[in-house]
Amino acid sequence: MKQILLLGGTGWLGQTISLQALDRGHSVTALARGTKPFTPGVRAVIADREAPDAYEQVAGRAWDLVIELTDRPPFAREAVQHLGGSAGNWVFISSCSVYDLQSEPGADETARTAEPLPGAEDGEDADFGRAKSACEEVSVRYRNGGALVVRPGLIGGPGDPSGRSTYWPLRFAERRDPVLVPKAPDGEAHVQIIDVRDLAAFILDAGLAGEHGYVNAVGEAHRLGQALEMAREAAATVAASNGRPAPEHQVVGYDVSRMAADGVNPWAGPTSLPLLLPPGDGYAGFARRSDARALQLGLRRRSLRQTFEDIVRSGGETDVDSLSSGLTAAEEQRLLAR
Ligand SMILES: NC(=O)c1ccc[n+]([C@@H]2O[C@H](COP(=O)([O-])OP(=O)(O)OC[C@H]3O[C@@H](n4cnc5c(N)ncnc54)[C@H](OP(=O)(O)O)[C@@H]3O)[C@@H](O)[C@H]2O)c1
């Protein structure tokens, strides 16, 4: 049994890691303010990382593995200063947003990263990539290189709080017709979704094995059109397995050049076509990052189709109007009526 400390641990990924670590028989401690529930079975340490004594309850213990989930450089620095010397292994959960350019398909971990925010200070939301870059820098430096920096791409799966990975399968699971989908030139739009459960397993496997360095943790790359087709098939498969007729949808292609005029957003959030990238060359390599190192380190991935089926199975009755991303029924109707 290993002693695992999560700095964070009450968010979606943190909870998934906690559940898997407990299932494997490890002892799991999570440090957070407690704004969301801790996973049952986890030792909860309630602390605000803004406070000078934030790490007092977890310092001085020989953690086998520390998993740091923050995007705030001062938190990353103070945690590694307080705990980094005695921890066996250290994993920092970063993001593919650290990369300076998103235009080169197949780029690996040696691609240039954004300038870290100076002095490991906090930034604005728009500085997310630079903040993660600063967190990476302090984590690796204070550990003298003895850290694994995991850079997830888009994380998806059942319960995705962002709604980006859940909108399309749940929309196809609804019996409302027709379904509005982006009509995008097929070569341009890709998606690369890593299932949260596969990511959690990889973090535990590679972290406990003491792997070091940088690794993209991304899903298999698919064209957006293929992914939407998989979402439609997943909804049909789950309906059939529940003894119901498959929803037979008419699909209407939406001309994405109208998005700005129609007030429709790409990628995520309210009134959006989730997973669709903004137009332009700058994103030609987005969702097409190299997964070679992760696979070499043992990342195992279920298919995107499987992820979509599980989303429908676990949330088939979910009204897409309640998701954080996508079009509401009324918005879709408005666009279809044009
Ligand atoms: N979603 C994606 O597609 C994606 C892609 C790439 C990378 N990532 C990265 O993946 C990770 C996702 O983590 P997650 O799903 O577990 O969710 P999260 O929302 O990032 O979790 C943040 C954790 O930090 C804790 N926290 C926040 N402020 C705190 C404070 N002042 N003091 C103590 N604890 C504090 C939160 O709990 P309390 O609020 O209770 O304190 C929570 O447990 C993040 O590192 C994210 O940047 C996500």
Side-chain angles (χ1 to χ4, degrees), residues 9-10 12-14 33-35 47-49 69 94 132 153 155 164:
T10 56
W12 185 45
L13 175 60
R33 291 166 302 179
T35 62
D48 185 344
R49 300 179 70 177
L69 291 133
S94 185
K132 282 288 197 187
I155 306 171
R164 289 171 294 191

Side-chain angles (χ1 to χ4, degrees), residues 22 26-28 38-43:
L22 290 169
H26 300 306
S27 164
V28 183
F38 289 83
T39 308
V42 161
R43 182 176 157 246

Side-chain angles (χ1 to χ4, degrees), residues 29 102 124 150 214 229 319:
T29 301
Q102 304 290 350
E124 304 292 324
V150 176
Y214 303 85
E229 183 56 22
D319 180 350

Side-chain angles (χ1 to χ4, degrees), residues 243-267:
R244 301 179 66 207
E248 282 184 27
H249 287 300
Q250 187 199 343
V251 167
V252 174
Y254 172 74
D255 177 0
V256 295
S257 68
R258 288 174 32 182
M259 288 174 76
D262 287 345
V264 176
N265 301 304
W267 186 239

Side-chain angles (χ1 to χ4, degrees), residues 32-328:
R33 291 166 302 179
T35 62
K36 287 170 282 215
F38 289 83
T39 308
V42 161
R43 182 176 157 246
V45 172
I46 297 188
D48 185 344
R49 300 179 70 177
E50 302 269 7
D53 60 352
Y55 304 99
E56 210 165 71
Q57 299 176 73
V58 292
R61 289 185 52 185
W63 300 103
D64 295 300
L65 173 62
V66 175
I67 301 171
E68 166 67 279
L69 291 133
T70 196
D71 57 10
R72 300 207 28 203
F75 289 2
R77 184 188 56 218
E78 280 170 35
V80 74
Q81 278 176 334
H82 280 87
L83 309 170
S86 58
N89 299 317
W90 193 275
V91 176
F92 174 64
I93 309 303
S94 185
S95 165
C96 282
S97 300
V98 291
Y99 291 112
D100 209 13
L101 297 175
Q102 304 290 350
S103 54
E104 188 198 336
D108 68 13
E109 290 81 357
T110 60
R112 195 174 69 224
T113 51
E115 187 69 25
L117 284 174
E121 294 306 326
D122 277 333
E124 304 292 324
D125 278 354
D127 290 330
F128 177 75
R130 293 187 64 200
K132 282 288 197 187
S133 188
C135 294
E136 286 190 357
E137 195 274 320
V138 290
S139 304
V140 171
R141 179 154 49 89
Y142 281 96
R143 288 278 300 172
N144 294 317
L148 178 66
V149 174
V150 176
R151 294 171 174 161
L154 176 62
I155 306 171
D160 175 0
S162 80
R164 289 171 294 191
S165 66
T166 50
Y167 174 77
W168 293 109
L170 293 176
R171 175 65 190 91
F172 281 111
E174 288 189 343
R175 283 169 193 273
R176 200 161 41 82
D177 223 24
V179 179
L180 192 75
V181 300
K183 193 166 57 181
D186 206 27
E188 290 177 15
H190 280 74
V191 293
Q192 200 173 29
I193 297 174
I194 177 89
D195 189 294
V196 68
R197 297 161 294 180
D198 298 336
L199 176 61
F202 176 68
I203 290 165
L204 287 170
D205 288 342
L208 289 169
E211 302 290 358
H212 293 164
Y214 303 85
V215 59
N216 297 334
V218 292
E220 201 182 330
H222 296 285
R223 299 247 164 99
L224 178 59
Q226 291 173 323
L228 297 187
E229 183 56 22
M230 282 187 236
R232 196 184 61 74
E233 289 167 1
T237 301
V238 176
S241 69
N242 290 334
R244 301 179 66 207
E248 282 184 27
H249 287 300
Q250 187 199 343
V251 167
V252 174
Y254 172 74
D255 177 0
V256 295
S257 68
R258 288 174 32 182
M259 288 174 76
D262 287 345
V264 176
N265 301 304
W267 186 239
T271 323
S272 69
L273 289 169
L275 307 179
L276 179 72
L277 297 178
D281 288 345
Y283 290 95
F286 190 88
R288 295 173 79 184
R289 294 229 159 249
S290 169
D291 54 10
R293 177 145 203 258
L295 295 176
Q296 184 219 328
L297 292 184
L299 171 66
R300 286 186 300 275
R301 298 178 297 205
R302 70 202 75 207
S303 67
L304 181 58
R305 166 86 187 259
Q306 186 63 57
T307 297
F308 283 161
E309 282 183 23
D310 291 347
I311 287 170
V312 176
R313 250 181 221 106
S314 70
E317 303 302 314
T318 308
D319 180 350
V320 294
D321 283 16
S322 67
L323 300 177
S324 305
S325 294
L327 299 173
T328 62

